[in-house]
Structures are given as C-alpha cells and as structure tokens.
Amino acid sequence: MKRRRAAPAPRLLRQCLAEVRGEFARSVGWAALRQCAFLALPWLLGRAVDAGVARSSPGVAAGWALAFVAVAAVEYAGMRGWQLWSNLAEARAGTWLRGRLLKAVLTTGTETLRGRTDGSGDLTTRATRDVDTVLTWVHGLTTWVVIGLTGLVLVPAIGGLDPLLLLVAALTVPVLMVLNRVFPPVFARRAEELSEAHGRRASVTGELLAALLPLRGVGAEGRMVERHHLRSAEVTRRTRRLASVSSVWEAAAAVVPLLAVAAGLLAGGHAVVDGRITVGALTTFVLWMGTVSLAVTVMIARLGDRGEALVAAGRISAVLAPVPVPGAGVALPGAGALRVRGLTVRRPGRPPVGPLDLDAVPGEWIALTGPTGCGKSTLLRALARLVPYEGEAGFGGVPLADAGGDELYDTVGLVPDGPLLLHGTVRENLLLTGDHDDAVLDAVARVAGLDLALAPLSEGWDTQVGERGRALSGGQRHLVALTRALLRDGPVLLLDDVTAALDARTEAVVLARLREATAGRIVVLATHSPAVRALADREIVLPHAVPADGAADVPAPRRAGPAPSDQEACHG
C-alpha cells in the first residue's frame, strides 16, 4: 500500500522538532522533575495541616513544613532547567528556520519566491512573524509532557482521597472535549486570515517605503498611504475576530474547572463532616483542582499555538518548497556545449514564452533581445531551473533537469535584473559564495568592473550596502552581483541586463573586461543595450507575437543592430 506523503506544514514542524531533539529531551527531563515536585507540594501542605490542626502536633507539622520547603527548592531548580533548555531549543529552531529561508532566497531568487507569496513584504512576514509563531510552538511543546504527567499523577491521587471527588473532577472532561473540538478549527481559520492580512499589509508597507519619494513627484503618495490605511484596517478587523474567538474559548475553558472546584468543595465538605477525609485532604484537593484549572488553561493556549503554528508552517513551507522540476541529482560536467530545444515556459493568464532553440559552445556570447515583456528574463530563469519549463535544456550532454542543486548552481550562474544584496558590507555579500582572499576578490572585481564602482566609496570593501542593497546605486548593485557570480567560476553565465544602469563609458570598460575573461565560458545575456549586442556572437530576438514558424539559429555579425533577416526568431 502506497504511503501518503505528509502535508508540508506538519512535516516542517516535525523537522523543526527533530533539529532540537537534544534540547527538547533535556527540557522534558527538567520539566518532569519540576512537575513531580509541584504536585507533591499540595500533598505535603495537607499533611502539615492535619498534623498541626487536626492532631495538634507542632513538631510534626514543622517537619512537614521543612519537607515542603525542600521540595519547593527542587521545584524551583526544575523550573529553571525547563526554561533554560526550552529557550535554547527555541533559539536553535529559529536559527535553523531562518537559515533555510535565507538559502531559499539566495538559491531561488526573490522574483521566483514572489510567485509563491503575495509579494516581497509577505516574504518578510514569513521570515519574521511566521517564524516567531513556530518558535512559540516549539517553546511550549514541553508543556504537553507536563500536562500529561499531571493527569497521570492526579487521577489516582484524587481517587485515593475520595471517589466522589474524582467523579467531580472527571465530569469536566466531556465538556472540555466539546470545547476543544468546536473552537480549534474556528481559531485556525481566523489565524490564517490574520496571517494573510499581515502579509498584504507588509507588501503595501514595502511598496510605500520604496516608492514614496518617486511617487511624490506625480502626486500619488496620498493614494499609497490610503492603501496602507486600508490594509491596516483589515489587520485590525482580523485581529479582533481572532481575539473574540480566543476570548470565548479561554473563558469557557477556565470556567469549567472553577465550577468543578466549587462542586468539589461542596462534596468534600460533606466528606469531612462524615469523616471520610480530613481537612488536610480537602485542602490538598482544592489545590490540586487549581492545578487542573491551570493545566486546562495552558492546554487551551497550547492548542491555539499549534493551530497558529500549522498556519505559519504552511506559509513558510511555500517558500522552502523546491521548484517543481524533475531531477535525479546527477553531476554536470565541468565543460561542454549548451544545447536547448523547444524551451517553453507556461505563464497562467499570459502568453507562453518560447519555444527557444539554441546551441552554444565555450567562448560564445548569445544575446537575447526583444520588446519589453517578451520573456527574456523568464527564459534565463528557466535555464537556471528557477521556474518550471517544457522542452529540453542540457549542458555537456547532461539535461539540466537531472542535475543536482549544488552541481547546477556551480555550473550555471545567474545575475538577475533585480539582484538581491543582504544587509552588510560589500565584502560580506561577495563571501556568500565561499571564502576568498583579497587578491582573488580584487582580481574578480576588476573583471566585473566593481573596482570602478568602489573607487568613489571611501570604505571600499567595507562599504555598507543597506537594506536589500538600497545604499548603493542600481549599477553598483549589478556589479556586486556580477562579481559574486564570477566568483562561482561556473562555465555558463546568464546575465539579465547587467549593464543597463551603467553609463556608456563604464559599460564599455566592463564589457571589454568581461569579454576577455569569459573566453572559455558560455554567456547568455538578456539585453537592450547596443553595446552588448555589438559584442555578441549571435542574437536571438523575442517578438511579442507568437509566430507560426519555429526558431532558427543563425549567426549574426558583431554589430549593434543586425538586420532583421540575420536575427534569430523564437516564440515569446
């Protein structure tokens, strides 16, 4: 029988727990010690009451009081150990989750990830609020062990006091089961709606911060602020709906144990009068019922945490999920020809891009040109296997679809039109590809023209790039990303308009250096630049319309504007 694959959200939570299993096991041990001591305290207090009040034995009562103090010290030590290891588990889980998200951004790219989310702001929400929600669940997991231990100890203990008291406590179970069956689905649905609202507001906030100054010149800032207010109002509305469910749930769950305490006092009072139990035993029962009430309240909170964590884990899993393309993980050769046949990308609600046919050998530059929006960037991302595609694309006789992730990214390097830089220095962004000494960085930076971009900057390699690289100009960001791709030293280089933000003089210098340094590499460039087209060995033009005939692969002379008859055509 074929096993059903687990849903992404529960699977991610299990993986997260597996990463912190050592810390979790230690927190469970300390929590069990703490709870055993905590449950023993009411029993010790009851014995002290019986010794001091019922039998008028101050010495015996003092002995029980000393035992109470000793057990309280053990309870304190257990609580400290419990919280220490729970905090460490939470911290480690956070590092693991955020590390996986960062790797997904670096290897997949923000453009592809935006297709899986509602926007860049929503991606930020998944890396902050959603991760924190999962960490809250991780931190509270040990509580379930405490709740289970409480039930195992108190059921026989209360039954030993008086069967009627156990019946009073047991009557609360069916009511709690009904509450816990009715409210969790409603709570989870409201939590998901709130998470989506937070994501939409984060997207609008990111757009507002990035575009406020440019839009102020055309008088659109008021409309942007109004959009932000509408999204904020939606978050407020969703928050109130979630809070209303949570408040009713918690209030109903808290009232049931309190009613049980009241009924227990009534039944226990009769038992004391009849001589079936002592005053100390009744005291113990009341304190234990307080523990039951606390356990129920915490259990309700943990159920809510789990519902929210499942929603958050599902949103995080959407970012971490690999691009759905087949692959067996074979290694690509270090050198070879690039062969593409019928490469097509389907886009929902938009015309498909492709099919594209081309053959390239090391040392060749292939220029993809055409009108804006014809699919040049999409085809480059398909060659980098960042979007699903149809057709065949292979390097050195090995299909790219069969290559393992590490082998693929060591072979095919992509510099996107909107490169991602992380907050930090220029050097730190370059060293994401691995450790390199200054001599290597200087040499590769010169090839990419980054030395020209760093020349006006007083701090050089230690220049802070700002959030998402916004402290640098567009051209400087592209050159940092180009240097980073060259440091990988892969045989295939995919460049998406890398010189578009450079002035003509800098562009000419960068292209000349790059052409010389890539004599043994295949370079495919998406471009509108006449200077790039002049250096290209061949040019492929992607028209808006979908022609009936297929693509042809015809060499074009190295000049800025090849005649239409010399251009290659492919459907776009």
Side-chain angles (χ1 to χ4, degrees):
M1 183 176 179
K2 187 177 180 180
R3 294 181 60 185
R4 178 179 294 179
R5 185 173 177 83
R11 185 168 65 249
L12 179 64
L13 294 183
R14 286 196 298 271
Q15 292 172 347
C16 194
L17 180 58
E19 285 295 318
V20 299
R21 57 185 177 273
E23 292 82 357
F24 176 69
R26 291 177 176 86
S27 71
V28 166
W30 283 103
L33 175 65
R34 179 263 178 189
Q35 194 65 6
C36 288
F38 182 74
L39 295 175
L41 292 177
W43 182 79
L44 292 171
L45 184 60
R47 298 302 295 266
V49 169
D50 285 339
V53 176
R55 295 195 296 270
S56 300
S57 302
V60 177
W64 286 111
L66 289 175
F68 183 92
V69 172
V71 173
V74 173
E75 189 267 344
Y76 171 76
M79 176 61 79
R80 286 201 60 180
W82 172 11
Q83 293 305 311
L84 170 65
W85 289 106
S86 291
N87 288 336
L88 289 175
E90 178 183 347
R92 183 170 179 178
T95 301
W96 178 75
L97 270 177
R98 292 190 173 99
R100 289 194 63 187
L101 283 168
L102 177 59
K103 183 178 180 181
V105 171
L106 292 177
T107 58
T108 305
T110 53
E111 291 300 322
T112 301
L113 291 179
R114 285 193 189 108
R116 304 179 188 173
T117 66
D118 294 333
S120 58
D122 192 42
L123 181 58
T124 303
T125 301
R126 298 177 196 224
T128 53
R129 184 180 183 274
D130 288 338
V131 169
D132 290 340
T133 299
V134 173
L135 297 185
T136 299
W137 171 80
V138 171
H139 187 91
L141 270 179
T142 308
T143 308
W144 287 107
V145 178
V146 173
I147 293 171
L149 185 60
T150 300
L152 288 175
V153 171
L154 291 190
V155 169
I158 295 177
L161 294 179
D162 188 272
L164 184 59
L165 296 180
L166 179 61
L167 177 62
V168 170
L171 287 176
T172 63
V173 174
V175 179
L176 292 176
M177 289 181 63
V178 171
L179 292 176
N180 293 331
R181 186 172 181 83
V182 170
F183 282 97
V186 180
F187 186 90
R189 188 163 58 252
R190 296 288 185 266
E192 184 171 5
E193 292 172 353
L194 178 59
S195 292
E196 293 173 352
H198 273 290
R200 287 190 288 270
R201 184 177 67 173
S203 298
V204 172
T205 301
E207 293 171 358
L208 179 63
L209 294 176
L212 183 58
L213 290 178
L215 289 177
R216 184 170 292 174
V218 296
E221 69 274 14
R223 188 64 60 85
M224 291 291 294
V225 172
E226 181 182 354
R227 288 181 60 198
H228 180 268
H229 289 340
L230 290 174
R231 294 303 186 192
S232 296
E234 182 185 7
V235 169
T236 301
R237 186 169 63 256
R238 300 294 184 187
T239 301
R240 287 175 176 170
R241 294 185 67 184
L242 179 63
S244 65
V245 173
S246 178
S247 61
V248 174
W249 187 8
E250 292 188 20
V255 165
V256 172
L258 293 177
L259 292 176
V261 170
L265 284 174
L266 181 61
H270 287 289
V272 170
V273 172
D274 294 340
R276 297 197 306 272
I277 62 173
T278 64
V279 175
L282 181 60
T283 304
T284 300
F285 169 75
V286 172
L287 294 176
W288 274 344
M289 284 306 297
T291 302
V292 171
S293 176
L294 178 62
V296 171
T297 302
V298 173
M299 181 178 67
I300 299 304
R302 293 292 82 82
L303 287 172
D305 290 344
R306 184 178 183 277
E308 290 192 76
L310 284 171
V311 172
R315 288 163 51 80
I316 295 171
S317 297
V319 177
L320 300 180
V323 178
V325 294
V330 297
L332 291 169
L338 178 66
R339 178 181 174 87
V340 179
R341 290 292 179 270
L343 185 71
T344 304
V345 178
R346 304 289 178 184
R347 302 178 294 180
R350 302 176 62 188
V353 176
L356 170 67
D357 296 322
L358 70 87
D359 290 284
V361 296
E364 280 194 294
W365 277 31
I366 311 297
L368 297 182
T369 65
T372 299
C374 66
K376 299 184 293 295
S377 299
T378 301
L379 288 174
L380 288 189
R381 290 201 296 272
L383 288 174
R385 224 179 76 183
L386 296 181
V387 294
Y389 62 85
E390 301 172 2
E392 299 178 0
F395 178 73
V398 177
L400 296 179
D402 293 341
D406 292 338
E407 290 80 7
L408 177 71
Y409 298 127
D410 285 339
T411 302
V412 180
L414 171 67
V415 179
D417 182 40
L420 173 68
L421 300 185
L422 304 183
H423 195 286
T425 66
V426 172
R427 183 192 305 275
E428 289 169 340
N429 274 271
L430 295 179
L431 294 182
L432 289 172
T433 61
D435 293 330
H436 306 283
D437 57 32
D438 285 350
V440 173
L441 291 182
D442 289 336
V444 177
R446 187 184 184 284
V447 171
L450 183 58
D451 59 329
L452 304 176
L454 294 180
L457 305 177
S458 60
E459 297 184 10
W461 295 116
D462 297 321
T463 300
Q464 292 287 334
V465 304
E467 189 70 29
R468 300 181 64 84
R470 291 189 179 122
L472 303 181
S473 68
Q476 289 170 330
R477 288 197 297 271
H478 272 111
L479 295 183
V480 171
L482 177 59
T483 304
R484 193 163 59 191
L486 291 173
L487 285 169
R488 299 294 294 265
D489 199 25
V492 179
L493 199 56
L494 309 176
L495 307 180
D496 191 355
D497 251 346
V498 291
T499 63
L502 301 179
D503 62 86
R505 178 179 174 278
T506 303
E507 181 185 33
V509 174
V510 170
L511 290 175
R513 294 178 181 178
L514 191 61
R515 180 77 214 207
E516 180 181 358
T518 57
R521 305 186 195 188
I522 298 171
V523 182
V524 183
L525 310 98
T527 184
H528 293 284
S529 168
V532 176
R533 296 166 61 192
L535 286 176
D537 296 300
R538 285 175 288 123
E539 184 175 340
I540 298 176
V541 178
L542 309 179
H544 271 311
V546 181
D549 56 338
D553 194 6
V554 182
R558 291 189 186 176
R559 51 194 177 88
S565 59
D566 294 331
Q567 296 174 344
E568 298 177 39
C570 78
H571 299 299

